[in-house]
Amino acid sequence: MGLRERKKAQTHAALSWAAVRLAVERGYDKVKVEDIAEAAGVSPRTFNNYFSSKAEAIAFRHLDRCLRIAEALRERPEGPLWDAVTHSVLRQFEPDEEAVAHPPATDAAQWTAGVRVMVEEPALRGEMLRAGAVTEAEIAVAVAERIGGDAERDLYPHLVASAVMGAVNTVIAHHLRTGPSVPVNDLLTDALARIGAGLSTP
Amino acid sequence: MGLRERKKAQTHAALSWAAVRLAVERGYDKVKVEDIAEAAGVSPRTFNNYFSSKAEAIAFRHLDRCLRIAEALRERPEGPLWDAVTHSVLRQFEPDEEAVAHPPATDAAQWTAGVRVMVEEPALRGEMLRAGAVTEAEIAVAVAERIGGDAERDLYPHLVASAVMGAVNTVIAHHLRTGPSVPVNDLLTDALARIGAGLSTP
DNA sequence: CTAAAACTTGCGGGCCCCGCAGATTTGCGG
DNA sequence: CCGCAAATCTGCGGGGCCCGCAAGTTTTAG
């Protein structure tokens, strides 16, 4: 990868992390695109060369994490489908090197509180759901590859993908509602097992 | 219901139907809020008293249809859960009296083509997914009521709701992709049966 | 009939997002 | 090391969206 692409990736990341941090700290609509651009060290105009909206910049962190599920699924083409799915999902909920490096500067409680408020923002919810939908399409393709189907014509891969993302989203929401009394991993494992029970390969 | 509320409901419907019709005919970003307001016979300012964004006005038709699923589910508290779910979903895909009355003026093929283009619009996708999420919450409450659980604390109702909406969304997407070669009802019945198999009451 | 409550509308303003064109930086052979 | 072509950054300008506010108008209730 040349210097050019590396710089681009850096700016991309810097912008999205800055967007998340500021929105969590101050609240979504008290952050101007100008602020995000400044925090990332680029001009306001450049912001929109990287993201087509403020919400997209924030949701990009979510998209990035979700897409790794599909990626992990591709890298694990052996074994039963639902084992691979469960493993691929769980892996994305381990502590992340990049995550701990980027958005510190607040204690955990205050941070989660800020996140809870932020994800209520309608524009943001829509954008995050869209990220989930993009991921779903990727997972569907990965599943189709694995079982030798066609993501264009068959319903089954999309059904699986939808079930997976549904379980993930539901568990995340449940976790944000009820707090960390039950480990996320256990919830995910349980949810995926239930959902997967009805979706054995046709 | 007083005159006041009836007029409000009328304006609400007029605005959303006009928004859909214009967006399908001309394309999302060639429709200005001003146009929608004019088509519904109100001032541009009034539009935003009813909807907080252009996308929301269009997606409202989708939201309305989806919410009827939860409503139907409540009205059918007897029998096995998944029978009731399947029945409630299928009912919303019958021809609709209001639907045939409002957006005519084009042949079916051209209309679906327009819809296909429209739903690609990112802002709109997000808003429609958000409508699905709102519905999901409603369904979760309905399911919790039915099985005597608590939508606030239990995961299961949300898991069911997510699975239902996932199946519905997936089937709709599949139908838009592949055309009307297979009846939607059959796809829905099949998808719900598969999904439901893993989610019998815990 | 009258007063309060609810709704509509125009105005003003802030912000977002994008097209365009000129300056700047990077990649690549010579 | 040089200089050119391509990619990128930036400022400017503008269209459009959305909302608060303060009349003006309609509906409701007593």
Side-chain angles (χ1 to χ4, degrees), chain A residues 16 26 34 48 73 81 83 85 98 107 119 122 129 132 142 144 151 158 176 195:
Chain A
S16 62
R26 295 189 210 164
E34 194 184 337
N48 282 96
L73 195 56
L81 173 60
D83 291 354
V85 165
E98 192 186 3
D107 62 295
V119 297
L129 290 167
H158 293 275
L176 279 179
I195 292 278

Side-chain angles (χ1 to χ4, degrees), chain A residues 20-139:
Chain A
V20 168
R21 186 175 58 78
L22 291 173
V24 169
E25 283 174 6
R26 295 189 210 164
Y28 180 78
D29 45 5
K30 293 193 176 177
V31 180
K32 289 183 275 209
V33 167
E34 194 184 337
D35 304 329
I36 303 171
E38 190 187 17
V42 295
S43 79
R45 181 63 184 84
T46 297
F47 174 88
N48 282 96
N49 290 344
Y50 282 87
F51 296 104
S52 66
S53 78
K54 191 169 61 165
E56 190 179 290
I58 297 175
F60 178 75
R61 298 261 50 90
H62 182 61
L63 176 62
D64 191 45
R65 178 185 260 196
C66 287
L67 283 179
R68 283 182 222 266
I69 296 176
E71 196 185 333
L73 195 56
R74 271 188 234 273
E75 291 171 356
R76 199 173 207 272
E78 77 288 355
L81 173 60
W82 283 95
D83 291 354
V85 165
T86 306
H87 183 270
S88 302
V89 169
L90 287 181
R91 172 186 279 193
Q92 310 315 317
F93 286 80
E94 314 279 326
D96 185 326
E97 44 179 276
E98 192 186 3
V100 291
H102 249 290
T106 330
D107 62 295
Q110 201 171 339
W111 181 264
T112 15
V115 171
R116 237 190 291 264
V117 172
M118 185 180 70
V119 297
E120 294 300 320
E121 194 66 28
L124 207 42
R125 281 193 82 87
E127 205 58 31
M128 296 189 54
L129 290 167
R130 214 160 65 79
V134 170
T135 305
E136 211 176 291
E138 286 298 309
I139 295 181

Side-chain angles (χ1 to χ4, degrees), chain B residues 2-4 7 31-33 45 47-48 52-54:
Chain B
L3 176 79
R4 190 157 220 136
K7 253 183 135 176
V31 180
K32 289 184 275 210
V33 167
R45 181 62 183 84
F47 174 88
N48 283 95
S52 65
S53 76
K54 190 170 62 167

Side-chain angles (χ1 to χ4, degrees), chain B residues 47-67:
Chain B
F47 174 88
N48 283 95
N49 290 344
Y50 283 87
F51 296 105
S52 65
S53 76
K54 190 170 62 167
E56 189 179 290
I58 297 175
F60 179 76
R61 297 263 49 91
H62 182 61
L63 175 61
D64 190 46
R65 177 185 261 196
C66 287
L67 283 179

